Amino acid sequence: MADPMVVAEGLHRHFGATHALRGLDLSVPAGTVCGVLGPNGAGKTTAVRILATLCRPDAGHARVAGHDVVREADKVRPRIGLAGQYAAVDDMLTGRANLRMFGRLSHLTRRVAHRRADELLDRFGLAEAADRPVGGWSGGMRRRLDLISCLLVRPDVLFLDEPTTGLDPRSRGQIWDHVRELVADGTTVLLTTQHLDEADQLADTVTVIDHGRAIATGTPDELKATIGDRLDVTVADPAALDRAVTVLEALTGAEPAPGDERLSVPVPGGGLRLADVVRALDHAGVAAADVRLRRPTLDEVFLRLTDRKEAVR
Amino acid sequence: MTALRWTVSDGLTLVGRELARLRGAPGQIVTLLLFPAVMVLLFGYVFGSAIRVPGGGDYREYLMPGLFAMVTFTAVHGVMVRMAGDASRGVMDRFRSMPTARLAVPFGQTGADALGGLIFVAVMAAAGLAVGWRPHRGLLPTLGAFALIMLLRYALSWAGVHVGLAVGDERAVDNLAPLMLPVTMISNAFVPTDGMPAWLRFVADWNPVSALTAACRQLFGNPGGPAGNGPWPLEHPVTAVLLWSAALLAVFVPLSVRTFLRRGR
C-alpha cells in the first residue's frame, strides 16, 4: 500500500499547564476512514487542529498528503477540508453564496466555483434551500452545508471534528451517507467522535486516545475481540438475580455488571457454550427470560480501555 | 508576486462577502441608508433647538462634523462584532485551513468596512446638505476632510479587527457597545468643551473624536474650528488626526495580522 495519507508521530502540545497531547501517534492509509475516539479532553480536537495546520505541535511531527503540516502548511491546505463542531458558515449569506465564497477563497476561478457550488447543492440535496440565508436553516442542514463547504476542491483528506454532535438521528444519518459517498470517491477521512456507533458505522480503523496518547488502534472488530464476547442474561424474576449472579461468576470467573434484571458479563477467552449456561441456571433454579452471547459494543470496549466508569455518550 | 495577487483577489472576495450579506438582508440596506439621515434630523433639530453655537452660527453647521466623527468611531464596534463572530463560529479557522492568502482576511475586512463607511458618510452628507449644512472652503479642503474621516475610520477598523479577534466571542464584544457612547459623547462633537468640568474637559479635548471634529470644522469652514487659544489637538486638528491614524495603523496592523496568524496556535 502507498504511504499513509495522514501520519502523526509523537505529537506533543500543551496549553498552559494542560497537556492536550503527550506523544500521539496516528496513521491513516489513503482511502480509508479513521475514527478517533476519546473522552472529552482526550486531545481529539487538538490533534485535528494540528493536522489541519491551525495549530503547531510543541514536539513531534505530522505529514498530511505527503507534506509536513508545519513547514509545508501551504502545500497541505489546498488538499484538505476541515469541518468542525460548529457550522462554520456565514449565517447572513445564502447557502449558494457561502459555497461560492469558499470556492473563490480556495482559489477556484469564478466559473468553476459557481459550477461546483451548484453541483454540490444538487448532489447533497440542499438545492431547494440554496438561495435562502443560512441563518434560517435547520441545524442539520447547516452542518451539511458546513461539510460540503470542504468539498469544493475535492480534498484528498477530510478532517471531521465531531461532525454530528448535537444533531438528531435523521440528520446524523444524512451526514453519514455523505461521508460514505466521499469515501467511495477515494477521500481519506479522519473523524473524531464521541458517538461510538458513528465510528462503528463509518470507520475502517479506530484509534482510541486518552490523556493525549493513542491507547489502542485497530478495526472495530479487532478492538471488540480484545475484550472478548459478552454474555447477557435476563432473569424472569428479579428475586432470582442473586442466584443468577453466583452462577455466572462460577461460569466465567468475572463479576457481572449490575442491572435490574439483566446481567452482562465478559466471557473468558476459551469461550462458553450457551447450553452450559442454560443448564447451570436451570440447575440453580433461575428462570431465564433471555440468554445470549454477543460481541461487545464499541462503548464497552471504550469504557474498558479508558477505564472510566461514566458513560461517554 | 502571486502571493500579492492572491491577497488582493481573496481580499476582494471578502469585500464581496460583506456586500452579499446586505443583499441577503434588504431591511439592513434601508437601515443603513435611513440611520444617518435620522441622526442628522434628530441631533440637528432636537439638540439644535437648545444649544447655542460658540461664536454664533447655525447648530446644524456646527453639528455635521461632529456626526461624521461620531459614526467614524462607532463603526469600530461593527468590525469587532464581525471579527468575533467569525472567530467564535469557526469561520476564521476555516479560512485559516484553506489556501486563502493569509493577509486577505484582515485586509478584506478592513477594506469592506471602508467601503461601507464611504456609503454611510455619503448618505449622511446628503442629509446634512438637505438640512442646510454646507462646506464653505471649496473643493480641495472639502475632499481633504472626507479623506481624513476615511483615513481615521480605516485606522480604527484595524483596532476593531484586533479586539474582535483577540476577544473571539461575539457576545462579549456585543457587551462593549455601551462603551461607544461615552467615547463619542465626551468630546466637542455636539457641544463645546468649555462648559465641562476641568477634568472632563481635559479628556474631551484630547479625545481623538474631538480632533476629527475640529479638523472637519476647519476644513469645511463650519463654526467651532480652532479659536487660537485651545489645547494642542484642537488647534492643530489635521495634524492630530494624521498622527492618531498613523499611530493606530502602526500598532494595530501588525498586531491584528499577528493575532490572526497565531489564533489558537
Side-chain angles (χ1 to χ4, degrees):
Chain A
M1 187 177 282
D3 283 343
M5 200 50 112
V6 178
V7 195
E9 282 164 356
L11 292 182
H12 279 263
R13 175 66 210 218
H14 71 92
F15 297 97
T18 315
H19 285 265
L21 295 179
R22 309 167 185 252
L24 177 72
D25 298 323
L26 206 60
S27 172
V28 187
T32 67
V33 180
C34 172
V36 174
L37 303 182
N40 283 331
K44 300 189 295 287
T45 296
T46 306
V48 167
R49 290 180 63 85
I50 288 175
L51 294 172
T53 76
L54 294 179
C55 163
R56 289 181 175 181
D58 296 330
H61 50 89
R63 296 174 75 78
V64 170
H67 298 289
D68 187 281
V69 296
V70 175
R71 281 181 291 109
E72 302 171 296
D74 51 343
K75 293 206 171 80
V76 172
R77 288 183 191 122
R79 304 188 55 184
I80 62 170
L82 167 69
Q85 301 176 22
Y86 323 94
V89 291
D90 188 330
D91 282 349
M92 288 175 70
L93 295 186
T94 65
R96 203 185 302 278
N98 264 293
L99 291 183
R100 287 174 174 178
M101 170 180 73
F102 288 126
R104 292 289 285 149
L105 293 175
S106 304
H107 299 170
L108 300 178
T109 63
R110 181 180 304 274
R111 203 169 53 83
V112 175
H114 284 211
R115 199 190 64 220
R116 282 293 289 159
D118 297 346
E119 281 171 12
L120 289 166
L121 288 163
D122 278 340
R123 178 173 168 192
F124 292 96
L126 292 170
E128 218 169 289
D131 295 309
R132 293 204 307 265
V134 175
W137 291 21
S138 73
M141 286 166 64
R142 288 152 50 100
R143 292 283 275 277
R144 282 158 61 202
L145 182 69
D146 185 54
L147 176 61
I148 66 177
S149 300
C150 305
L151 308 182
L152 290 146
V153 289
R154 297 193 175 85
D156 295 312
V157 184
L158 193 55
F159 295 104
L160 303 178
D161 190 13
E162 302 194 8
T164 64
T165 297
L167 291 187
D168 60 62
R170 183 161 165 274
S171 306
R172 184 180 305 167
Q174 287 172 323
I175 296 261
W176 289 354
D177 288 342
H178 295 351
V179 172
R180 288 194 191 99
E181 276 188 57
L182 297 172
V183 175
D185 291 352
T187 309
T188 306
V189 176
L190 188 147
L191 163 100
T192 75
T193 182
Q194 298 189 50
H195 298 287
L196 304 182
D197 52 332
E198 185 158 280
D200 229 350
Q201 288 276 340
L202 295 176
D204 299 302
T205 60
V206 166
T207 295
V208 181
I209 68 176
D210 197 14
H211 302 298
R213 258 189 225 104
I215 56 171
T217 299
T219 65
D221 279 342
E222 283 167 354
L223 290 181
K224 289 172 186 174
T226 60
I227 73 163
D229 286 350
R230 294 189 72 90
L231 172 68
D232 288 351
V233 172
T234 310
V235 295
D237 174 11
L241 204 64
D242 288 347
R243 268 174 291 152
V245 168
T246 317
V247 171
L248 294 185
E249 267 177 358
L251 277 171
T252 63
E255 191 181 336
D260 285 342
E261 46 199 27
R262 205 192 75 155
L263 296 167
S264 179
V265 66
V267 171
L272 194 65
R273 285 180 36 225
L274 217 48
D276 295 338
V277 179
V278 175
R279 199 174 306 127
L281 286 169
D282 199 37
H283 192 72
V286 178
D290 188 35
V291 177
R292 64 176 67 191
L293 269 170
R294 62 168 173 86
R295 310 297 311 272
T297 65
L298 216 39
D299 282 272
E300 285 159 337
V301 176
F302 182 81
L303 286 177
R304 177 76 70 85
L305 287 169
T306 57
D307 196 31
R308 296 195 181 180
K309 296 295 175 243
E310 80 271 26
V312 281
R313 41 170 80 240
Chain B
M1 200 54 217
T2 50
L4 182 64
R5 211 189 99 219
W6 282 124
T7 304
V8 173
S9 156
D10 292 343
L12 289 176
T13 301
L14 289 164
V15 172
R17 170 194 181 193
E18 296 296 329
L19 297 181
R21 286 179 144 206
L22 287 181
R23 209 177 312 146
Q28 217 174 356
I29 301 184
V30 177
T31 315
L32 187 71
L33 297 183
L34 218 56
F35 188 60
V38 168
M39 284 195 3
V40 170
L41 295 176
L42 207 63
F43 281 92
Y45 289 97
V46 175
F47 282 16
S49 63
I51 297 172
R52 235 166 38 90
V53 177
D58 181 39
Y59 181 68
R60 285 176 291 280
E61 287 266 293
Y62 179 79
L63 167 76
M64 283 309 292
L67 276 184
F68 285 129
M70 178 181 180
V71 299
T72 300
F73 279 79
T74 49
V76 148
H77 189 250
V79 177
M80 280 185 215
V81 169
R82 282 195 291 280
M83 287 313 264
D86 277 354
S88 58
R89 280 199 214 94
V91 175
M92 216 47 94
D93 282 345
R94 164 152 288 152
F95 288 152
R96 289 182 53 232
S97 73
M98 298 199 316
T100 311
R102 302 288 93 181
L103 297 181
V105 175
F107 275 96
Q109 186 66 57
T110 51
D113 177 70
L115 198 63
L118 214 52
I119 298 168
F120 200 95
V121 167
V123 175
M124 187 168 252
L129 289 171
V131 299
W133 164 75
R134 297 284 180 275
H136 300 284
R137 291 187 48 200
L139 186 65
L140 277 184
T142 303
L143 288 181
F146 285 120
L148 273 188
I149 291 169
M150 292 313 298
L151 173 68
L152 188 55
R153 178 172 179 133
Y154 187 70
L156 282 163
S157 71
W158 277 96
V161 166
H162 175 70
V163 174
L165 279 178
V167 175
D169 176 350
E170 201 173 6
R171 262 172 301 176
V173 169
D174 258 339
N175 291 338
L176 296 177
L179 271 182
M180 304 314 294
L181 196 63
V183 168
T184 49
M185 296 302 274
I186 304 175
S187 72
N188 63 356
F190 305 107
V191 293
T193 57
D194 6 350
M196 298 179 187
W199 61 272
L200 193 62
R201 179 177 178 179
F202 179 81
V203 176
D205 284 344
W206 285 84
N207 185 345
V209 177
S210 300
L212 182 60
T213 306
C216 290
R217 283 180 184 143
Q218 183 177 33
L219 292 170
F220 289 139
N222 292 143
N229 56 357
W232 186 86
L234 302 190
E235 288 306 316
H236 308 86
V238 174
T239 316
V241 171
L242 290 173
L243 286 177
W244 271 112
S245 304
L248 284 166
L249 288 170
V251 171
F252 285 108
V253 173
L255 213 52
S256 304
V257 168
R258 188 167 163 275
T259 318
F260 174 73
L261 294 180
R262 295 177 62 97
R263 221 187 101 68
R265 188 179 268 185

